[in-house]
Amino acid sequence: MFPIDSRDPRPIYEQIIDNIKEQVIKGILKPGDQLPSVRQLASMLTVNANTVMKAYGELERQEVIETIRGKGAFIAITSNKGVTEKQLVELRTTLKTSCITMHYMGMSKEQVLEEMGKIYDELLREEK
């Protein structure tokens, strides 16, 4: 389904979350698509089932997926309801951490914005 990088400093469950979100953005996974069961995905990625369960739980909390008992996990059908205040706070926290890292790497504000623009444009290009 997607690779897990053992050299990536992020926890495996975060890699799973990010990969699923990226596949949704790119249109690989569409609203209503069923995800593999926890055991299936754990087997495919050769990770512990609890790790996949943690990722699915967080994706459900973020309303990226919805779980239907007895049927499985599905990509949520969103209705463009906009960004909530809670989501905005989480986004700002993530961006702040990234900006601090880039600043200490010696990047200027312009370079940071340029890199963000490249990433955003790349995601949109792949979506089409």
Side-chain angles (χ1 to χ4, degrees):
M1 187 166 189
F2 47 78
I4 294 297
D5 185 356
S6 59
R7 294 176 304 232
D8 191 323
R10 294 175 301 150
I12 293 171
Y13 84 95
E14 286 183 11
Q15 291 184 51
I16 294 169
I17 292 168
D18 291 345
N19 278 305
I20 289 175
K21 284 181 173 180
E22 185 174 341
Q23 288 190 0
V24 171
I25 290 169
K26 291 178 178 178
I28 297 168
L29 291 173
K30 297 180 179 8
D33 284 354
Q34 185 169 10
L35 293 173
S37 72
V38 168
R39 286 187 183 148
Q40 287 173 328
L41 187 56
S43 176
M44 290 166 61
L45 300 175
T46 61
V47 300
N48 189 300
N50 290 330
T51 302
V52 175
M53 193 177 304
K54 185 174 182 177
Y56 277 15
E58 181 61 21
L59 286 164
E60 188 165 21
R61 188 187 71 73
Q62 295 177 13
E63 299 179 358
V64 174
I65 68 170
E66 52 193 358
T67 304
I68 301 171
R69 265 208 181 133
K71 296 200 179 209
F74 298 84
I75 300 299
I77 299 171
T78 58
S79 59
N80 275 346
K81 53 188 165 195
V83 179
T84 66
E85 187 63 33
K86 182 178 177 185
Q87 289 171 324
L88 193 54
V89 168
E90 289 176 9
L91 289 170
R92 286 184 177 147
T93 301
T94 302
L95 285 172
K96 182 177 180 180
T97 302
S98 296
C99 286
I100 289 169
T101 301
M102 290 185 272
H103 173 77
Y104 280 102
M105 291 172 65
M107 296 176 74
S108 68
K109 179 180 178 180
E110 292 74 25
Q111 289 172 312
V112 169
L113 293 173
E114 182 180 334
E115 287 303 315
M116 289 177 134
K118 285 179 186 176
I119 292 167
Y120 191 85
D121 291 345
E122 181 182 301
L123 285 171
L124 291 180
R125 247 191 328 275
E126 293 174 1
E127 182 180 334
K128 295 177 181 177

